[in-house]
Amino acid sequence: MFDNVPDPAPAPALDLHKAPEGFSDRVALRLVKFMRVFADAFFSKRYGHRAVVLETVAAVPGMVGGLLQHLKALRHIREDQGWIRELLDEAENERMHLMTFIHIAKPSLFERALIMGGQAVFFNAYFFLYLFAPKTAHRVVGYLEEEAVVSYTGYLEQVDSGAVENVAAPRIAIDYWKLPEDARLRDVIIAVRADEAKHRDMNHGFADALASGATQRPAGQPHAAE
């Protein structure tokens, strides 16, 4: 059903942090920390609802980056070395996170309105950021994914403590991640968290390549996080 799901790979480390190098990296990190304040204030410990709303935003950067890299490859009449596919796969993966969590946490009417407004603002803001400062755009996503790993770790802790019921995994999650038939919410969170860690490494790697002046980076090469 999901033919584009990659084969299982070694789980990425969860506690990696890319130390900012230079002004643009510090701006990217401060921007993400600023956004985190609002997410924490609005959702608090409601991690399921946080996932539904934020995954609608998380699926935007990969699509924007893939589109602009596609147009760039056409303009320069050259291969993209895998950037387009990596970014579009990221967007699809984030969309599947959303499709999974709407079966677990039903968004309210207010959250649906927040999704529509947030996507409209974030898409346009990220489009122009990527157009004029692609390195910073990838760094922003790298730091966003670092925060996503932290959030899903908090979600997992709530499940393990019994604060959140460890419900059965939705069928869509079992099929997509090839989970056991008796998989639970805990298994889903672990799979999603691993995805976010991979996106973290990929986007920091793209940013590092752009910072070094490279025009392309082979797909799938992780960065050396600190």
Side-chain angles (χ1 to χ4, degrees), residues 5-195:
V5 179
D7 293 330
L14 299 176
D15 58 351
L16 297 182
H17 168 63
K18 174 66 178 179
E21 300 174 3
F23 177 74
S24 65
D25 282 8
R26 288 192 291 272
V27 169
L29 180 57
R30 288 180 181 274
L31 176 62
V32 170
K33 293 295 185 182
F34 179 73
M35 294 166 64
R36 176 71 190 238
V37 170
F38 285 96
D40 287 344
F42 183 79
F43 295 106
S44 186
K45 299 294 185 179
R46 297 185 304 131
Y47 288 109
H49 290 266
R50 179 196 293 254
V52 168
V53 173
L54 297 186
E55 292 294 357
T56 64
V57 174
V60 169
M63 188 61 67
V64 170
L67 168 63
L68 292 177
Q69 286 292 337
H70 173 71
L71 295 176
K72 182 178 180 180
L74 294 179
R75 288 197 308 273
H76 294 280
I77 316 177
R78 60 162 169 73
E79 294 291 337
D80 73 299
Q81 299 299 318
W83 283 46
I84 297 171
R85 175 49 55 194
E86 287 275 356
L87 290 166
L88 294 182
D89 284 350
E90 175 190 314
E92 173 63 9
N93 180 250
E94 298 285 13
R95 188 184 69 84
M96 292 305 301
H97 294 175
L98 171 65
M99 294 298 100
T100 295
F101 281 111
I102 60 174
H103 292 280
I104 297 169
K106 305 295 184 181
S108 65
L109 288 177
F110 178 74
E111 287 169 341
R112 288 179 179 273
L114 187 64
I115 287 169
M116 294 177 66
Q119 186 181 88
V121 172
F122 187 74
F123 174 86
N124 287 283
Y126 191 80
F127 179 90
F128 285 105
L129 177 62
Y130 200 103
L131 187 63
F132 295 109
K135 180 183 80 70
T136 303
H138 280 297
R139 192 69 78 204
V140 165
V141 177
Y143 287 134
L144 281 172
E145 299 295 5
E146 288 184 13
E147 296 295 337
V149 171
V150 172
S151 292
Y152 282 113
T153 297
Y155 197 1
L156 186 63
E157 290 172 353
Q158 282 202 325
V159 172
D160 288 344
S161 69
V164 172
E165 183 182 358
N166 190 23
V167 298
R171 168 50 57 181
I172 190 172
I174 293 173
D175 292 341
Y176 182 69
W177 283 286
K178 298 180 174 63
L179 300 175
E181 288 295 321
D182 60 349
R184 313 295 292 183
L185 174 59
R186 188 179 195 279
D187 303 301
V188 174
I189 295 171
I190 290 173
V192 171
R193 184 177 62 174
D195 287 346

